[in-house]
Amino acid sequence: MTPLPLDGIRVIDFTQVMLGPSCTQVLADYGAEVIKIEKEKIGDLSRWSLGSDPDGLNNPVFASLNRNKKSVALNLKSDEARQQVLELIDGADVVVSNFRPGVMERMGFGYEELKKRNKGIIFALGTGFGLEGPNRHKGGQDILAQAMTGVMDRRVDRGQPITIYPTSLCDYTAGMHLVQGILLALFQRQKTGEGQTVAVSLYNSMLAMQMQEAAAHMMRDKDLNWAAFPLTGVFETTDRPFVMVGAFKENPLRDICQALEIDDLSKEERFKDFDSQAAHRAELQALFREKFAEKSREHWLKRLEEVDILCAPVRTMGEALDDEQTRVNRMVIDAGETAAGPVRLVASPIDMSAAPLAIRQAPPTLGEHNGEILGALEERKADVA
């Protein structure tokens, strides 16, 4: 079989919930041996996010973030357990955590200590707000990061209430940034032979995600809001909603009017160009809403696509998962069975022709690999003796 990109890389994974596990799952999917260090009896907090399965071992939130990993459950207050972890790290390439700053050091697993034992170790950590500064010890959480980075304040219409984005946008983004940092550090280690620290935070990742908007604010004192463009919006029809994006054309309003079978509004002074349309957005959107409410979603999608205006149905999660495009893209995979039924997961979005995603290890039960991993440590010590 063709080796996977990260075959031979060992990761000691202290992470839990989402930021860290989303990172280490990518590493595991593409060949790294990821050994997940969990608390005895409790494990990763995400094992209990929706209540446990009947066997108390698994649930959808945990399963979605922890395939292809091995679980070792330990009492890290025990000297023996801490020594076992140190011995695992001696033979590892990467250590990943997403505790608050200082926690790994207090447990005896800080970078300065680990690099004395293993100079090539890459010490990767994700925090809420960074390693320094006034908020370094503040608990990191997705919704807090949305609020503190300006993400939550951004909305299409200032008349709308501020709301929470319901998907874990910050956690996932920071997790993927942590993957990038680890891979970069592995490349650099090939040149220097030495490891380093790699740090990301929810806070920095959300600021980075708004790079365009932030630059517009700092350089032009301008509020850049793609969702508030005058020809963009979500519109109700006689049955289901759809979204339209009137952009990337010389005169998209003219083409929208053609689809609506109305006079060309771009000939009117109040709608003659982008700035005019933006100034009269409420009027323009009201006209759209009145017209779109007359017929079905499929009717309007067909009409808009005929004039090459970007549009799409607003779907439920179930509809998206059942869509033919999802099947063709192989974005749903089966990872075995539990007492609660089949484990069905979203696949990796990275499609590599020479490294297709496979489930080599179903999401592990708590401590499932204690015997394998800790037994191998004992065998190694016996061989040395």
Side-chain angles (χ1 to χ4, degrees):
M1 293 180 63
T2 302
L4 293 172
L6 296 176
D7 275 352
I9 298 296
R10 173 173 272 197
V11 178
I12 307 302
D13 179 10
F14 289 88
T15 69
Q16 56 181 330
V17 189
M18 184 169 184
L19 187 169
S22 68
C23 162
T24 54
Q25 180 164 270
V26 172
L27 303 178
D29 280 347
Y30 293 96
E33 181 188 26
V34 175
I35 300 173
K36 188 175 179 71
I37 307 297
E38 300 189 72
K39 284 184 180 181
E40 279 185 333
K41 300 180 181 178
I42 299 173
D44 186 328
L45 293 176
S46 69
R47 288 185 181 274
W48 310 98
S49 295
L50 299 177
S52 66
D53 284 344
D55 58 8
L57 299 173
N58 218 338
N59 76 32
V61 175
F62 178 84
S64 72
L65 294 161
N66 289 285
R67 62 176 176 251
N68 288 329
K69 302 178 188 180
K70 298 175 180 179
S71 170
V72 173
L74 294 169
N75 174 13
L76 291 180
K77 293 181 180 179
S78 155
D79 290 339
E80 179 186 9
R82 286 199 300 273
Q83 182 59 34
Q84 289 171 325
V85 170
L86 288 172
E87 290 171 9
L88 288 173
I89 291 172
D90 288 345
D93 300 280
V94 185
V95 170
V96 191
S97 68
N98 61 331
F99 301 124
R100 298 188 197 195
V103 171
M104 288 289 281
E105 287 73 13
R106 289 196 294 274
M107 291 194 299
F109 305 133
Y111 177 62
E112 293 304 318
E113 288 301 313
L114 298 185
K115 76 176 182 179
K116 294 174 185 175
R117 306 174 62 102
N118 180 350
K119 74 170 187 176
I121 199 69
I122 292 162
F123 188 82
L125 64 162
T127 65
F129 300 96
L131 302 180
E132 299 177 348
N135 294 318
R136 68 184 294 268
H137 288 298
K138 187 176 180 66
Q141 200 276 339
D142 196 282
I143 295 170
L144 304 187
Q146 291 180 36
M148 294 179 70
T149 58
V151 171
M152 193 178 291
D153 182 61
R154 300 181 58 74
R155 50 206 189 277
V156 175
D157 185 342
R158 283 288 165 184
Q160 297 174 345
I162 292 176
T163 59
I164 296 168
Y165 187 72
T167 293
S168 298
L169 180 71
C170 313
D171 277 321
Y172 185 75
T173 304
M176 295 308 99
H177 286 160
L178 195 54
V179 172
Q180 293 173 28
I182 290 168
L183 297 179
L184 291 170
L186 286 169
F187 274 116
Q188 191 166 23
R189 192 181 67 177
Q190 290 180 352
K191 299 177 173 65
T192 66
E194 296 185 356
Q196 61 181 292
T197 61
V198 174
V200 305
S201 68
L202 301 176
Y203 191 82
N204 288 359
S205 287
M206 283 301 93
L207 290 176
M209 178 173 277
Q210 300 172 93
M211 61 183 74
Q212 298 173 88
E213 295 88 344
H217 175 80
M218 293 185 290
M219 297 169 63
R220 295 287 187 273
D221 193 24
K222 183 177 179 62
D223 179 26
L224 177 59
N225 188 331
W226 300 109
F229 276 25
L231 307 183
T232 294
V234 176
F235 301 97
E236 295 289 343
T237 67
T238 56
D239 50 9
R240 301 289 302 281
F242 74 95
V243 65
M244 176 179 73
V245 178
F248 309 118
K249 303 190 74 177
E250 180 184 355
N251 186 352
L253 179 55
R254 177 191 59 207
D255 297 332
I256 292 169
C257 292
Q258 181 181 337
L260 293 173
E261 297 180 327
I262 61 175
D263 292 338
D264 181 1
L265 295 174
S266 68
K267 292 181 178 179
E268 296 187 21
E269 186 67 20
R270 58 180 174 161
F271 303 135
K272 66 179 181 180
D273 54 28
F274 179 88
D275 289 340
S276 301
Q277 292 164 13
H280 296 89
R281 183 178 187 275
E283 300 166 58
L284 192 53
Q285 295 264 320
L287 291 169
F288 290 161
R289 293 185 193 286
E290 182 179 1
K291 192 66 179 176
F292 286 135
E294 294 176 359
K295 294 185 179 179
S296 71
R297 178 171 75 181
E298 288 307 310
H299 171 84
W300 292 121
L301 290 175
K302 182 175 183 295
R303 290 288 299 158
L304 291 166
E305 286 177 347
E306 286 173 349
V307 295
D308 197 28
I309 290 293
L310 295 170
C311 58
V314 176
R315 289 179 172 154
T316 65
M317 172 63 74
E319 288 171 334
L321 291 172
D322 289 339
D323 190 76
E324 176 68 7
Q325 190 66 57
T326 303
R327 186 193 66 78
V328 170
N329 290 358
R330 300 182 297 280
M331 281 303 295
V332 173
I333 53 174
D334 293 311
E337 296 274 342
T338 71
V343 178
R344 302 190 73 220
L345 307 172
V346 171
S348 170
I350 305 165
D351 188 358
M352 298 180 67
S353 62
L357 176 66
I359 301 294
R360 304 183 307 282
Q361 163 68 52
T365 56
L366 180 59
E368 179 178 341
H369 300 92
N370 274 43
E372 173 190 336
I373 301 300
L374 302 182
L377 282 182
E378 292 304 314
E379 289 177 11
R380 189 181 312 143
K381 284 191 283 190
D383 291 341
V384 171

